[in-house]
Amino acid sequence: MKKHLLAFAVLAFISLTANAQKVKFEEFDLDNGLHVIMHQDNTAPVVTIGVMYNVGGKDLGGDNNPKRTGFAHFFEHLLFEGTENIERGKWMEIVSSNGGKNNANTSLDRTYFYEVFPSNNLELGLWMESERMLHPVINQIGVDTQNEVVKEEKRSSYDNRPYSQFVFAIDENLFKVHPYKYKNIGEMEDLDAATLEEFKDYFKKYYVPNNAVLVIAGDIDTSKAKTLVSNYFKDIPKGKEVVRNFPKEEPITKEIHAKFYDPNIKIPAIMAAYRIPGFKERDSYVLQMISTYLSDGKTSKLYKKIVDDKKMALQAGAININQLDYGVYVLYGLPLGDNSLNSLVSEMDEEIVKIQNDLISEKDFQKIQNKLENQFVNSNSSVEGIANSLATDYLLYGDTNLINNEINIYKSITREEIQKVAKKYLNPNQRVLLEYLPKENEQ
């Protein structure tokens, strides 16, 4: 009887949690094409103001010149330099002195700027983001300053950090014609060679209201917020429509062998990378479930087998890198002792074959569902997280209400579908097999 009562209590708690996580929001467009999303939550006196631009590392400078990489990431830094009404170097000071915090990040698909303020500073946040969009100061002093900042970031985050270049090494072998093959941070010689006019042209093309979404989440009065949005953004000129026509990749039909040498490591790694559908596709959700099954935690299949039981590896797992046009699925392992890279590949392949040949157990399937539901709830547990989800779901997925419904996609996936998708994408003849090696081993 006690077990039944406990089970009922757990189900009731999950139900209440799910209902509590329902995110209400309001959307509208300004005449200049800026899409606005508002979420009111008056439980705490804070507000997040974010602007997500439809521009990322795949959008090269100079009319998609392959020698102009890294522009979107560069602008993530450059657009904090200052504006006609915000003195150079004062952006962070204004935010912090008004009790706020701010940040920005760039992927290959989009760039996101945001501030978190006490709710009485909503107007300040909107003014600052309108300043960034309307008339930032883009001059040679700012370009030269941020060029050095980006170079230092590249040195500290990639050049001098162990295993940090594995994504670059995979992408340049996995993609032959799509701009995902270029580094998000770019090549430093490309930024050095770019002219001030090229940077100004890039801003005019991408950082316009009709290529962005503004999100406001937190302790707001929606009527007043609408008025403020109109006051600060309605007169920003609309830009030309951004048209993308990236070349399509041919399917991989034969295993590609590659090597990369990292001067910062002593222990080699093996990586099996597969090109998979973009994150809007249902199969991408299925592959995320497979990744969770293989690699989420110390009880997951790859870790338990290769690291714990057989003690063949220091680390082993799977990563699903979600992107809009194509995703990247990676199996990886770091050998322990005298175990070879090939032996790790054999062990990982064996686990994939099991998924392809037999349905995973009901117990494991439910475990995956529980983990993904927990991640879904946690992603919307703060107004900061909600703001990011709303902007992403609208701009990249084209469905703002995914913030409430995405978990239903995972719930609708079956064990049979997991088996089918593993058979479709995770085969040796469809991958890049990358040996990630210490630099001293280079021949």
Side-chain angles (χ1 to χ4, degrees):
M1 182 64 179
K2 288 182 179 179
K3 289 184 178 179
H4 292 305
L5 288 173
L6 179 60
F8 180 79
V10 170
L11 287 171
F13 174 76
I14 292 173
S15 177
L16 287 171
T17 303
N19 289 333
Q21 285 301 123
K22 177 77 172 179
V23 176
K24 296 181 180 179
F25 57 88
E26 184 177 348
E27 299 178 273
F28 61 95
D29 292 301
L30 299 183
D31 290 342
N32 58 11
L34 179 66
H35 190 75
V36 184
I37 308 172
M38 297 192 301
H39 164 69
Q40 184 176 349
D41 181 350
N42 303 118
T43 56
V46 294
V47 63
T48 296
I49 304 102
V51 178
M52 187 173 287
Y53 291 92
N54 191 2
V55 58
K58 67 184 179 185
D59 297 299
L60 308 179
D63 196 24
N64 287 313
N65 181 350
K67 294 297 183 182
R68 291 295 183 268
T69 60
F71 269 45
H73 173 264
F74 187 78
F75 268 87
E76 176 196 320
H77 292 268
L78 188 62
L79 293 182
F80 282 101
E81 272 286 302
T83 75
E84 292 178 12
N85 295 301
I86 298 176
E87 186 181 342
R88 182 172 179 266
K90 293 293 185 180
W91 186 285
M92 307 293 189
E93 182 181 318
I94 292 172
V95 173
S96 60
S97 64
N98 284 278
K101 65 176 184 177
N102 61 250
N103 212 331
N105 51 72
T106 307
S107 75
L108 288 168
D109 292 311
R110 94 294 179 271
T111 305
Y112 184 48
F113 299 93
Y114 68 94
E115 292 81 34
V116 181
F117 275 118
S119 51
N120 60 350
N121 280 324
L122 169 63
E123 184 170 4
L124 174 63
L126 290 172
W127 171 71
M128 294 183 77
E129 286 301 334
S130 70
E131 279 287 300
R132 195 197 309 266
M133 188 183 294
L134 181 57
H135 38 50
V137 173
I138 300 174
N139 57 26
Q140 199 62 51
I141 294 174
V143 166
D144 292 342
T145 300
Q146 295 308 320
N147 199 341
E148 291 305 313
V149 171
V150 171
K151 285 178 180 177
E152 178 55 34
E153 179 184 352
K154 184 175 182 292
R155 284 190 289 266
S156 62
S157 297
Y158 300 103
D159 295 347
N160 300 320
R161 182 175 292 181
Y163 305 101
S164 62
Q165 300 190 64
F166 82 91
V167 172
F168 301 155
I170 287 171
D171 284 350
E172 68 183 18
N173 286 285
L174 203 57
F175 298 101
K176 301 302 180 184
V177 294
H178 191 283
Y180 281 162
K181 68 181 182 176
Y182 301 115
K183 298 173 184 175
N184 191 30
I185 198 169
E187 301 293 346
M188 297 305 99
E189 56 266 30
D190 293 350
L191 295 175
D192 288 341
T195 66
L196 182 61
E197 286 306 310
E198 284 179 298
F199 287 118
K200 289 182 176 180
D201 289 343
Y202 193 83
F203 176 82
K204 291 176 184 176
K205 180 176 182 179
Y206 292 107
Y207 298 86
V208 291
N210 49 306
N211 198 49
V213 55
L214 167 67
V215 60
I216 307 167
D219 183 27
I220 61 172
D221 178 299
T222 55
S223 178
K224 292 179 181 178
K226 281 183 181 179
T227 300
L228 291 172
V229 168
S230 179
N231 289 344
Y232 287 109
F233 288 90
K234 68 180 176 62
D235 294 327
I236 300 177
K238 184 176 184 177
K240 293 181 180 179
E241 182 184 357
V242 175
V243 178
R244 294 178 176 87
N245 189 23
F246 296 134
K248 304 293 185 183
E249 292 285 347
E250 292 294 326
I252 297 172
T253 57
K254 183 179 179 181
E255 187 174 67
I256 299 169
H257 290 261
K259 293 182 180 180
F260 182 87
Y261 296 91
D262 187 337
N264 304 301
I265 67 172
K266 297 296 183 183
I267 300 171
I270 190 70
M271 298 166 187
Y274 307 80
R275 193 194 309 139
I276 61 173
F279 53 58
K280 291 170 68 173
E281 301 297 323
R282 182 177 176 86
D283 284 353
S284 179
Y285 287 93
V286 181
L287 285 158
Q288 183 61 49
M289 296 185 75
I290 296 173
S291 180
T292 301
Y293 173 74
L294 289 173
S295 184
D296 191 354
K298 293 188 176 182
T299 61
S300 59
K301 296 302 177 183
L302 288 180
Y303 191 96
K304 184 73 171 62
K305 174 188 177 183
I306 304 175
V307 179
D308 271 359
D309 294 345
K310 294 194 173 184
K311 296 183 172 26
M312 295 177 62
L314 292 167
Q315 186 59 266
I319 305 171
N320 190 9
I321 303 174
N322 289 309
Q323 297 172 158
L324 179 60
D325 300 329
Y326 299 97
V328 177
Y329 194 90
V330 184
L331 301 172
Y332 67 92
L334 279 69
L336 179 64
D338 294 330
N339 289 288
S340 69
L341 297 180
N342 286 336
S343 68
L344 295 190
V345 173
S346 296
E347 295 292 335
M348 293 188 291
D349 282 348
E350 187 177 275
E351 291 305 306
I352 296 296
V353 171
K354 287 179 183 178
I355 300 172
Q356 293 172 333
N357 291 342
D358 302 297
L359 296 179
I360 66 173
S361 70
E362 283 282 7
K363 181 180 178 181
D364 285 333
F365 182 66
Q366 190 56 54
K367 183 179 175 182
I368 298 169
Q369 293 280 9
N370 293 343
K371 284 186 176 182
L372 291 170
E373 186 162 358
N374 185 56
Q375 292 173 14
F376 178 76
V377 170
N378 288 338
S379 68
N380 296 330
S381 61
S382 68
V383 291
E384 193 173 328
I386 287 171
N388 181 57
S389 293
L390 287 169
T392 300
D393 291 343
Y394 168 77
L395 190 75
L396 298 182
Y397 287 84
D399 181 4
T400 315
N401 205 41
L402 271 179
I403 196 169
N404 295 310
N405 295 337
E406 189 171 40
I407 191 61
N408 295 328
I409 299 175
Y410 288 113
K411 288 180 177 180
S412 70
I413 292 169
T414 64
R415 292 187 298 153
E416 289 79 8
E417 202 168 355
I418 289 173
Q419 182 183 36
K420 178 182 177 183
V421 168
K423 287 181 179 179
K424 185 175 181 180
Y425 297 104
L426 303 181
N427 300 297
N429 66 314
Q430 296 171 292
R431 70 188 180 191
V432 170
L433 196 61
L434 175 72
E435 295 180 53
Y436 196 92
L437 304 169
K439 181 76 170 180
E440 66 246 29
N441 293 348
E442 185 172 6
Q443 297 179 349

